[in-house]
Amino acid sequence: MTYQYITHAVAEGVATITLNRPEVLNSCNRPMVAELAHAATAAAEDDAVRVVVLTGAGRAFCAGQDLAEAVPPEPEARPDIGDIVAGYNTLIRALRTMEKPVLAAVNGVAAGAGANIALACDFVVASENASFIQAFAKIGLVPDNGGTFFLPRLVGMARATQLAMLADKVRATQAMEWGMIYRVVPETELRAVTREFAADLASQPTRGLGLIKRALNAAWSNDLDRQLDLEAELQREAGQTADYLEGVRAFQEKRRPHFAGR
Ligand code: T3D
């Protein structure tokens, strides 16, 4: 697939996907969502990729759905926007099910779908000027892209209701204090911190991290018995990896481990 609205580069185990419509704050039209889903799926399937970074070009991360394309100009129009949401769902499923870490480097405002794409990632590192807005209620819509799933789990029902119904803007520092995101860094340092963090994640035992992600995903719906069984199954699988042997040997030999990611 040729990308028109995003860029996608792979180097040293890190796939960087950049939303690239800065003139409209990287708001997503339909082809852009398809490109994002395609790039995320490709990164998931590529064994050379051990970490995925999602970020935005220009001053925003993503202002959500492109509102210029969403509604037809006819005054009586009642568009069926189900196809738009279906496209986003493919993206969110790819981000959540790929068994490798996904890092959102949020470089500015993340609104609507943009906020929830970021929250679907395993780590969110935001610059101090970034903010998160569940903009949906302002235009009569419902949070999508997993927003109604992730938000209550991340910040609790009271805050999730506030954010979803009032569409209050949450600044990066507040989001970190509420447990919505991982880390906040000065604007000028976001790029370097992201590069360093992604490189570090790419040197970790990728297979093991992927299995941790599978376990954490399942913990949202499993009871304790099922989760204990799943942990036993995944631990057996992790114990078969070359990285487990390397980790134990490195510990015994008092040296840094060199993980191959398998
Ligand atoms: O079909 C469906 O809708 C279903 C799917 C829904 C998923 C969703 O994501 S719904 C939520 C959609 N997003 C929003 O409602 C957010 C709209 N944008 C804003 O509220 C503000 O732009 C921001 C708070 C994000 C940023 O404000 P500010 O003051 O920093 O920038 P701005 O001046 O508003 O925007 C700069 C330009 O980007 C401007 O264009 P112009 O005037 O310079 O030519 C603005 O129109 C454009 N822009 C911003 N957001 C969008 C957009 N263009 C199209 N779609 C957008 N979402």
Side-chain angles (χ1 to χ4, degrees), residues 9-10 12 102 142 178 189 261:
V10 180
E12 292 169 7
V102 182
V142 176
W178 283 2
E189 292 173 23

Side-chain angles (χ1 to χ4, degrees), residues 169-218:
K169 178 199 277 195
V170 183
R171 294 189 186 282
T173 309
Q174 180 78 85
M176 187 178 67
E177 284 164 5
W178 283 2
M180 259 170 79
I181 66 171
Y182 170 60
R183 194 174 163 192
V184 179
V185 299
E187 194 179 346
T188 51
E189 292 173 23
L190 180 67
R191 198 181 276 258
V193 168
T194 301
R195 200 181 315 116
E196 218 171 284
F197 185 32
D200 181 46
L201 284 170
S203 72
Q204 300 299 321
T206 311
R207 194 74 208 104
L209 299 189
L211 296 173
I212 291 172
K213 185 164 173 175
R214 201 193 301 173
L216 292 176
N217 279 339

Side-chain angles (χ1 to χ4, degrees), residues 1 10 47 62 86 88 99 105-106 114 121 130 140 145 147 163 166 174 182 185 200 212 215 217 249 259:
M1 184 180 214
V10 180
D47 287 340
C62 173
Y88 284 117
E99 296 201 337
V106 177
C121 295
N145 283 267
L163 299 184
L166 307 182
Q174 180 78 85
Y182 170 60
V185 299
D200 181 46
I212 291 172
N217 279 339
R249 282 194 185 120
F259 294 119

Side-chain angles (χ1 to χ4, degrees), residues 24-25 27 59 63-67 70 81 84 112-113 135-136 141 144:
V24 284
L25 307 187
S27 57
R59 73 175 172 95
Q65 174 61 33
D66 180 346
L67 296 178
I81 54 179
I84 299 182
F136 308 89
L141 290 182
D144 58 14

Side-chain angles (χ1 to χ4, degrees), residues 125-179:
V125 178
S127 63
E128 274 168 351
N129 62 314
S131 57
F132 299 82
I133 313 171
Q134 297 291 324
F136 308 89
K138 296 261 188 229
I139 55 169
L141 290 182
V142 176
D144 58 14
N145 283 267
T148 58
F149 182 85
F150 298 117
L151 267 181
R153 286 168 169 83
L154 289 169
V155 300
M157 195 56 90
R159 282 174 178 156
T161 306
Q162 173 201 341
L163 299 184
M165 289 198 181
L166 307 182
D168 286 349
K169 178 199 277 195
V170 183
R171 294 189 186 282
T173 309
Q174 180 78 85
M176 187 178 67
E177 284 164 5
W178 283 2

